[in-house]
Amino acid sequence: MPSHLQALGWALRPLPFMQTSRDRYGDIFTLRIRRGRPWVFLSDPADIGKVLTIAPELVRAGAGEANPLLGPLLGPRSVMLLDEPDHMTHRKFMLPSFHGERMQGYGEMMVEVAREQIARWPVGEPFALWPRMQAISNEVVMRATFGNTAGPRMEDLRVHLKRLTDWLNDSSRLTVLATFGSRVLTRSRAFREVMAPVERALLDEVRRRRESPGHSEDEGILSLLEQAYDESGSPMTEQELRDELITLLSDGPTATSLAWAFDRLLRHPEKMERLRGEVLAGVDQAYTDAVVKEILRLCPAVALVMRGLVEPIELGGYTIPAGTIVAPCIYLLHHREDIYTHPFAFIPERFIHTAPENYTWLPFGSGVRRCVAAQFAQLEMKRVIQTVLREVELAPAPSPGSQRARRSSVAFAPSEARAVVTRRTARGRAAR
C-alpha cells in the first residue's frame, strides 16, 4: 500500500487498520506512515516480551526516537521519554509518590472528588460520559500533585489545563497530527498559546514553593519531587519539574478508561447490577477488580508502545535491523482469540480469581518502563466506579452518532457514549 494511504488509514481509523493489517499479514507487520523510519508492529506475546525485557541500553524511547508525537507536549525530560540512565533516575524520583500509605490517602481523596463531581450531574438529562470522567480524573490528579488546590492560583491552572486539553482533543487536529507528525505542534502558534499559560502557572508554583521551604509531605507529589536529588546530589531543575508535572497532569488515559467502563456496564445491565450488589455489600472486590481488568484489556488506553532499536534483534523469524522502530501493540495482543475467548466481548468473569499469563495483559507496559502510576490508575478506576454506583443510578442515553473509539490527546475514548441519571440514591442525597 502506498505510504500516503497507510498514513490515511492510521489517521482516520487506527484500531481497525491495525486489526486488518494483523489479520492479513500476521503477528508481525510493517507500516510506513511518514517519511521517517518504518514501524514494525508486534502482537505475539513472545516477541512483545522480548522487546519489553531487552536491556534498557539497547532501545530508545525518547522523543527524538520512538515517541516524537509526545515530545512537544510532555517535554524532553519527562520520565516517559527519557532514555537510560536518566530514565531510571527520574523513575526513582516518581515511585515514592505511588506506594505505601500515600495510596490509602489517595483512595479517600478519589472518593471525595468523585462525590463532588457526581453531585453536579443533572437528573433526567443525557450527558456525555467522557467529559464527566475527565473532570473527575483531572481534579484527582490536581489534588494528588499539589495537595492543597484551593485559591486563585490553582483555579487559574485548572482553566489553563482545560483549555489545553480541549485544544489537544479536537478530532480534526488529532487526525492531522497522526498524519503529519509532531511538526504540526512544534510549528503551531495556537499550540504555544494554549501551552504557555500552563507552563507559566506550573513554574510560578514551583518557584513559589522553593522560595518558601518547609512544606509538609501532605502537599502532594510536587513536594516529593522538590525533595528528590540525583546521584550527584543535584535537585531537579525547573525544566525537569515542568516536564514531570505536565506528564502527571496530562491524565487522559484514566479518564478514557472510566468512560469505557461505564459505556460497557450500561450496555450490560446484568453486569452492572452484579457489580452494584458487590459495591453496596462492601465485603469483596473480586468483581470490581475483574471489571477494571477487563476494561483495561478490552479498551487499553494506550494502544501501543514504541522503541527504537540500537542493535538488531530477532523477532517473529525476522532479523529487525538497528534503527527500526518496533511497536509492541497492546491492543492487538489483548484481542487475540488464542489468548482470550471472544476477545471483543466484555466478559469480566474471565478475570475473577484468575491472573493473566505473562505478557498477555499489558495495559501499563512491562519491565523497567512499566507505568509508574499503574497502581494509582487502577485504584482511581475502582474508587470512582464504586462511588458512582453508590451515589446514583445510571441508564444508557441515545447517542447522536455511531459508537466507535476516537482519539484523545494520548488515548482512545468512546466518541458518543452517553448516560442519564435516573435517580440519586438515599446515600447520595444524604451526602448533600
Side-chain angles (χ1 to χ4, degrees):
M1 182 184 293
S3 177
H4 67 279
L5 291 182
Q6 295 185 44
L8 192 63
W10 176 251
L12 296 179
R13 299 198 68 193
L15 301 182
F17 187 57
M18 288 189 296
Q19 189 67 49
T20 300
S21 299
R22 180 190 178 274
D23 292 345
R24 181 169 183 177
Y25 299 109
D27 292 336
I28 181 169
F29 59 88
T30 299
L31 295 185
R32 294 174 176 84
I33 293 173
R34 290 185 285 272
R35 294 181 180 179
R37 287 171 286 180
W39 299 349
V40 176
F41 281 65
L42 310 171
S43 60
D44 181 86
D47 292 337
I48 290 175
K50 190 171 183 179
V51 170
L52 295 182
T53 58
I54 195 172
E57 63 271 15
L58 299 182
V59 291
R60 296 284 183 266
E65 292 281 340
N67 291 290
L69 298 183
L70 294 178
L73 174 63
L74 303 185
R77 302 300 293 174
S78 164
V79 69
M80 287 183 64
L81 301 178
L82 286 170
D83 292 317
E84 302 304 341
D86 291 341
H87 166 260
M88 188 54 65
T89 297
H90 275 237
R91 189 175 178 85
K92 291 176 181 177
F93 289 164
M94 303 290 287
L95 281 174
S97 300
F98 300 106
H99 287 281
E101 294 181 1
R102 280 185 167 267
M103 294 304 295
Q104 180 179 350
Y106 291 147
E108 295 168 356
M109 175 267 291
M110 291 164 181
V111 171
E112 179 182 347
V113 170
R115 294 177 74 179
E116 291 172 2
Q117 293 293 326
I118 294 166
R120 303 174 187 175
W121 294 1
V123 176
E125 297 179 17
F127 57 86
L129 282 167
W130 181 29
R132 300 288 180 168
M133 295 304 124
Q134 200 165 51
I136 293 174
S137 191
N138 287 352
E139 185 61 24
V140 163
V141 77
M142 278 279 291
R143 295 191 191 182
T145 301
F146 297 107
N148 182 6
T149 59
R153 289 190 313 275
M154 290 292 103
E155 191 56 38
D156 286 346
L157 179 56
R158 285 187 183 92
V159 171
H160 297 321
L161 281 170
K162 186 178 187 308
R163 185 179 173 215
L164 173 64
T165 300
D166 291 345
W167 191 92
L168 288 170
N169 285 334
D170 178 84
S171 57
S172 59
R173 188 173 292 116
L174 287 166
T175 298
V176 173
L177 180 61
T179 305
F180 297 104
S182 60
R183 64 181 182 271
V184 174
L185 290 183
T186 56
R187 298 175 182 177
S188 171
R189 178 181 296 179
F191 173 67
R192 293 307 312 162
E193 288 176 351
V194 295
M195 174 58 83
V198 175
E199 293 175 328
R200 284 197 298 270
L202 290 177
L203 291 177
D204 285 349
E205 185 66 16
V206 167
R207 291 163 186 159
R208 184 188 71 83
R209 294 194 182 204
R210 283 185 162 175
E211 291 169 359
S212 304
H215 297 285
S216 60
E217 286 190 3
D218 64 359
E219 290 204 58
I221 296 171
L222 175 55
S223 294
L224 288 183
L225 294 179
E226 289 176 320
Q227 299 166 25
Y229 293 84
D230 63 20
E231 288 78 0
S232 67
S234 300
M236 296 182 76
T237 65
E238 284 191 354
Q239 178 67 46
E240 289 173 326
L241 283 169
R242 176 268 179 212
D243 292 357
E244 298 301 10
L245 290 173
I246 289 288
T247 300
L248 289 166
L249 295 167
S250 302
D251 187 37
T254 306
T256 59
S257 295
L258 282 166
W260 281 120
F262 285 105
D263 173 68
R264 288 298 182 264
L265 287 168
L266 288 167
R267 290 168 180 265
H268 298 83
E270 75 287 356
K271 299 183 189 297
M272 172 90 85
E273 285 309 306
R274 177 175 178 178
L275 180 58
R276 184 191 299 277
E278 178 187 272
V279 169
L280 296 181
V283 291
D284 187 18
Q285 294 193 17
Y287 201 62
T288 305
D289 290 339
V291 167
V292 168
K293 283 187 171 65
E294 177 68 346
I295 286 298
L296 292 172
R297 180 202 69 82
L298 185 62
C299 310
V302 180
L304 70 159
V305 296
M306 292 188 173
R307 301 287 185 264
L309 294 179
V310 175
E311 294 184 356
I313 187 174
E314 294 288 331
L315 295 170
Y318 299 93
T319 299
I320 311 299
T324 304
I325 302 297
V326 292
C329 187
I330 297 166
Y331 177 82
L332 293 178
L333 173 70
H334 285 185
H335 291 82
R336 290 181 65 103
E337 291 185 1
D338 58 340
I339 298 175
Y340 296 105
T341 305
H342 306 300
F344 291 91
F346 175 57
I347 309 175
E349 290 76 8
R350 70 173 96 238
F351 287 114
I352 292 182
H353 305 303
T354 301
E357 295 183 10
N358 286 340
Y359 305 110
T360 61
W361 186 82
L362 299 171
F364 302 104
S366 184
V368 297
R369 300 199 73 94
R370 186 175 187 268
C371 176
V372 294
Q375 186 179 355
F376 182 93
Q378 291 176 89
L379 179 63
E380 181 180 344
M381 289 185 68
K382 293 174 186 177
R383 292 295 177 266
V384 172
I385 290 170
Q386 291 166 338
T387 305
V388 169
L389 294 182
R390 290 191 187 102
E391 298 283 312
V392 296
E393 290 189 6
L394 290 178
S399 297
S402 61
Q403 176 64 284
R404 67 180 188 181
R406 57 158 286 186
R407 293 182 187 274
S408 68
S409 57
V410 291
F412 291 91
S415 58
E416 300 291 349
R418 291 161 63 82
V420 60
V421 174
T422 59
R423 76 179 186 95
R424 299 193 182 278
T425 65
R427 181 185 180 89
R429 288 192 295 270
R432 283 169 289 282

